[in-house]
Amino acid sequence: MARSIGRRLLPLLFLAPMLLMIALAWVSPLVLTVYLGFTDLSIKNFLAFVKDFFTDKVSITLDNFRRIFYAEDPYVGETLRVTVLYVVSVLSINAIYALALSIAIAYFTKNELLSMILRVTWLLPRITPGIIYALMWIWFIDPKYGLLNEMLRLMGVPDSWLPDSWLLRKPYSQMLMIMINGYVGASFGMIVYTAAIKSIPPDLVNAALVDGASEFQVARRIIIPLLKWPILFVTAWQTLSLLSSYEYILMVWGAGSGQGYGIARSAGVMVWSLYSYTKAFAEHLYGYASALSLILVAIGLALIILYFKIFGFRRLMEPSRVEV
Amino acid sequence: MVRVTLDNVSKFFGKVKAVVDLNLEIRDGEFVALLGPSGCGKTTTLLMVAGIYKPTRGRILFDDEDVTDLPPKDRNIGMVFQSYALYPHMTVYDNIAFPLKLKKVPRQEIDRKVKEVAKLLQIDELLDRKPAQLSGGQRQRVALGRALVKEPDVLLLDEPLSNLDAKLRILMRAEIKRLQKELGITTIYVTHDQVEAMSMADKIAVMNKGRLQQYADPQTLYNKPANLFVAGFIGSPPMNLVEGNIVEENGTYYFVSSSFKYRLPSGVGELIASETSSVILGVRPEDIKIVLGDGDDNVISGTVYVVEPLGRDLLVNVKVGETLFKILAPADLKLEPGQSILLAPNEKRIHLFDRKTGRAVI
């Protein structure tokens, strides 16, 4: 009897540190976000509010959501547009362009060594510390000292064509946002895709070649259809992570100064999650920022439920499965 | 249909020599088996004929056309893989139609040909299914259908029966043989199973360690193995092989091993002694007669070690000194372990191999 209890408790003991971390870093912020989203907490009433935390004295209100949904906040619409542009564009790089790259690297590149070098090249941005990666981009595009303008001049692009700032002028700023995030994000898809491509039995490819397919037809008619699940998986996963990611935008465009918005808004790269971040940590409107985040959480949860419906739990846990 | 010629073909993977200086001619419409243990280079050879691998050296000819540098799609070959390699995302119909679609054959003709082949292979009921919903035998037929539908010049079969159960394998063996004769397609069949090769092929190329050991029809291979490897590989139970020396006593030649002495037929002894004295004697299990009581003078005495009834015959294990002989005897023979018996090998059917080179001397 004692033994069977021990057997049941032992795994919990091992799991406890992780569960504690999840509770502290994930569950409690979620609960707080939900709670704060329905309050008017800001820097002005902060001290009074903290005393009354979770008591009747805090007034629960829907004001924040009214501001968002009834366009009382003039920036919500633009933020939404930028977010859609961001998610859709970066996603197509991460899911579709990464697929083309993976096929090029893992199938068309027959030299194993070259294929490995190419794969590592695409992993570099991911294994570089984020802040270094961001700084490298800032230096690269600097109008005065940056390598980009110098390279374009060498190629014969006249000075008058170059924007005074890649960071600020639309659409260059938005293209930059997509490239910076796409280059990092593509590696995730590539890891999943190349593993999946390598797990396709060589016989299948050989059979197609013998049946009369060209290398290109093998890619189109055999490899891509077999990668159906990995493609759906990467798409689903990346949509979720893109919705909530803003760190590279924050590092390159900043959230400080300019009324707390950094230059992100004037550059047209203010995505929803960054907007929520600036509301909280630049404008100190904690309640409103929580409400903004909550909408993101709701969208994320809806997507997760949708994915579970599409994939089933087991499939979602087996990213590189190839149907053979 | 074409004649396939391999002219001094070699294939190296880095330092590994998969196939070395292979010369082979497969005549138009012939059924040739590539036989050998795993890793002997037979599948590599097949993939070179298919065009998947390019030979490191040498040429491959279809009739008189040099196809060495042609990609697979320009060779008009049909191939069945050991794993069947059916496209899992396509139905049976689409699997079979795939080679025709790639050739841009008109849709109606594709439909007609697919249904024709499906009928021939008795899979016309399965056309809407996906490969995952088929049994091993059905998949095998679909793979065969996909290879045949394009009316290939050469049919390549890579251990097509090895994933089937024993009963189905015997059934398909006959069926593939009949189909091949009916269609008259030049066929190369890779297998490690000597029974398959013997029962199906017109000619067998026995390979070992990347080198061709013997290329002959099944009967020749069985009765006149060119070397020790072929002798030991072909035949089940395998040939009895005993190391020994040729010794001359008063004009008569004897084979002498550590455990027995056997008189060689006149003429044979001189012939061998002129080449070498250190040999290996080979006798097939069915070429030794068990003699109870007194026999003629040229017999080997031994004791029964164990008896394995096989139904039609007995497989008798006989100890002669340290040497164990396997002998096929009539099923009604009554033998007990420990019993002393005499062995009389059939003089006309003994084999002698040079111990150094392994080559057959007679």
Side-chain angles (χ1 to χ4, degrees), chain B residues 132-201:
Chain B
Q133 299 164 299
L134 302 178
S135 70
Q138 290 169 332
R139 284 180 205 193
Q140 218 266 334
R141 283 163 192 270
V142 176
L144 205 55
R146 188 178 63 185
L148 291 174
V149 77
K150 60 200 275 202
E151 292 162 20
D153 290 333
V154 185
L155 181 61
L156 306 176
L157 306 167
D158 186 4
E159 309 237 8
L161 304 182
S162 60
N163 287 341
L164 301 181
D165 61 65
K167 210 169 145 190
L168 199 55
R169 204 178 306 162
I170 292 172
L171 200 81
M172 285 305 287
R173 214 158 73 186
E175 210 159 318
I176 290 177
K177 186 171 182 173
R178 180 189 60 83
L179 210 61
Q180 194 271 340
K181 288 286 164 255
E182 220 171 87
L183 303 172
I185 304 175
T186 312
T187 301
I188 307 178
Y189 186 104
V190 160
T191 179
H192 66 270
D193 181 342
Q194 47 121 353
V195 181
E196 251 172 47
M198 297 285 280
S199 59
M200 295 168 80

Side-chain angles (χ1 to χ4, degrees), chain A residues 84-98:
Chain A
V84 171
L85 172 77
Y86 170 72
V87 172
V88 171
S89 314
V90 179
L91 186 66
S92 41
I93 293 181
N94 291 356
I96 300 166
Y97 182 62

Side-chain angles (χ1 to χ4, degrees), chain A residues 16-29:
Chain A
M18 192 65 204
L19 290 175
L20 193 70
M21 291 293 286
I22 291 175
L24 279 176
W26 208 85
V27 180
S28 54

Side-chain angles (χ1 to χ4, degrees), chain A residues 153-226:
Chain A
R153 275 190 206 108
L154 275 179
M155 283 193 285
V157 178
D159 271 359
S160 56
W161 290 13
L162 300 173
D164 56 347
S165 163
W166 294 101
L167 269 184
L168 279 169
R169 287 286 156 264
K170 284 190 270 188
Y172 304 113
S173 56
Q174 291 175 330
M175 280 157 64
L176 199 63
M177 161 184 80
I178 292 164
M179 274 166 65
I180 291 175
N181 285 283
Y183 191 21
V184 182
S187 57
F188 174 78
M190 284 181 61
I191 291 169
V192 175
Y193 292 146
T194 45
I197 292 171
K198 291 285 174 196
S199 71
I200 293 176
D203 270 2
L204 230 45
V205 172
N206 288 344
L209 289 173
V210 168
D211 280 346
S214 63
E215 299 276 10
F216 181 74
Q217 282 168 321
V218 171
R220 194 170 70 86
R221 308 191 71 148
I222 307 296
I223 295 179
I224 292 178
L226 286 178

Side-chain angles (χ1 to χ4, degrees), chain B residues 27-272:
Chain B
R27 282 193 297 243
D28 188 356
E30 205 167 35
F31 191 139
V32 166
L34 295 181
L35 175 65
S38 52
C40 74
K42 53 194 192 300
T43 299
T44 306
T45 306
L46 200 71
L47 291 176
M48 283 194 285
V49 176
I52 307 272
Y53 290 160
K54 208 178 211 175
T56 311
R57 279 202 309 258
R59 297 183 311 155
I60 297 172
L61 306 166
F62 285 4
D63 282 338
D64 294 320
E65 188 196 357
D66 188 338
V67 298
T68 317
D69 295 319
L70 279 190
K73 67 186 176 72
D74 298 328
R75 295 193 182 197
N76 196 27
I77 35 180
M79 182 158 175
V80 175
F81 292 81
Q82 184 173 5
S83 60
Y84 312 137
L86 298 180
Y87 310 124
H89 56 293
M90 298 183 196
T91 60
V92 168
Y93 183 96
D94 289 331
N95 261 284
I96 299 176
F98 189 66
L100 300 178
K101 280 184 188 160
L102 292 173
K103 272 190 183 173
K104 303 223 161 27
V105 175
R107 187 174 292 189
Q108 281 173 333
E109 207 180 327
I110 292 182
D111 194 58
R112 187 180 58 76
K113 284 189 172 176
V114 170
K115 285 183 174 148
E116 200 179 287
V117 165
K119 206 164 180 192
L120 180 76
L121 293 164
Q122 297 158 13
I123 45 174
D124 36 355
E125 303 288 307
L126 309 172
L127 290 175
D128 295 330
R129 298 220 197 143
K130 289 271 183 77
Q133 299 164 299
L134 302 178
S135 70
Q138 290 169 332
R139 284 180 205 193
Q140 218 266 334
R141 283 163 192 270
V142 176
L144 205 55
R146 188 178 63 185
L148 291 174
V149 77
K150 60 200 275 202
E151 292 162 20
D153 290 333
V154 185
L155 181 61
L156 306 176
L157 306 167
D158 186 4
E159 309 237 8
L161 304 182
S162 60
N163 287 341
L164 301 181
D165 61 65
K167 210 169 145 190
L168 199 55
R169 204 178 306 162
I170 292 172
L171 200 81
M172 285 305 287
R173 214 158 73 186
E175 210 159 318
I176 290 177
K177 186 171 182 173
R178 180 189 60 83
L179 210 61
Q180 194 271 340
K181 288 286 164 255
E182 220 171 87
L183 303 172
I185 304 175
T186 312
T187 301
I188 307 178
Y189 186 104
V190 160
T191 179
H192 66 270
D193 181 342
Q194 47 121 353
V195 181
E196 251 172 47
M198 297 285 280
S199 59
M200 295 168 80
D202 299 322
K203 275 173 103 176
I204 299 173
V206 182
M207 293 180 72
N208 188 34
K209 292 181 182 161
R211 288 173 196 275
L212 182 65
Q213 304 294 317
Q214 190 173 4
Y215 184 39
D217 63 276
Q219 279 312 312
T220 311
L221 223 50
Y222 190 78
N223 294 326
K224 291 201 176 311
N227 58 35
L228 263 178
F229 178 81
V230 178
F233 197 76
I234 305 275
S236 171
M239 185 185 278
N240 296 294
L241 297 167
V242 189
E243 284 188 15
N245 294 300
I246 306 288
V247 176
E248 193 221 319
E249 279 174 26
N250 306 325
T252 312
Y253 288 88
Y254 293 91
F255 170 85
V256 181
S257 83
S258 57
S259 39
F260 66 90
K261 186 170 162 187
Y262 176 70
R263 193 181 69 228
L264 296 172
S266 54
V268 172
E270 289 95 324
L271 190 74
I272 296 157

Side-chain angles (χ1 to χ4, degrees), chain A residues 233-291:
Chain A
F233 172 79
V234 168
T235 309
W237 193 260
Q238 290 289 62
T239 316
L240 277 182
S241 77
L242 282 174
L243 270 177
S244 58
S245 76
Y246 58 87
E247 62 271 29
Y248 292 107
I249 302 176
L250 179 64
M251 281 189 272
V252 174
W253 281 273
S257 79
Q259 272 202 335
Y261 291 111
I263 53 172
R265 184 146 84 200
S266 50
V269 295
M270 180 65 84
V271 294
W272 195 281
S273 49
L274 182 61
Y275 189 56
S276 167
Y277 173 89
T278 46
K279 280 290 172 202
F281 300 110
E283 287 191 55
H284 307 291
L285 298 170
Y286 306 115
Y288 187 54
S290 297

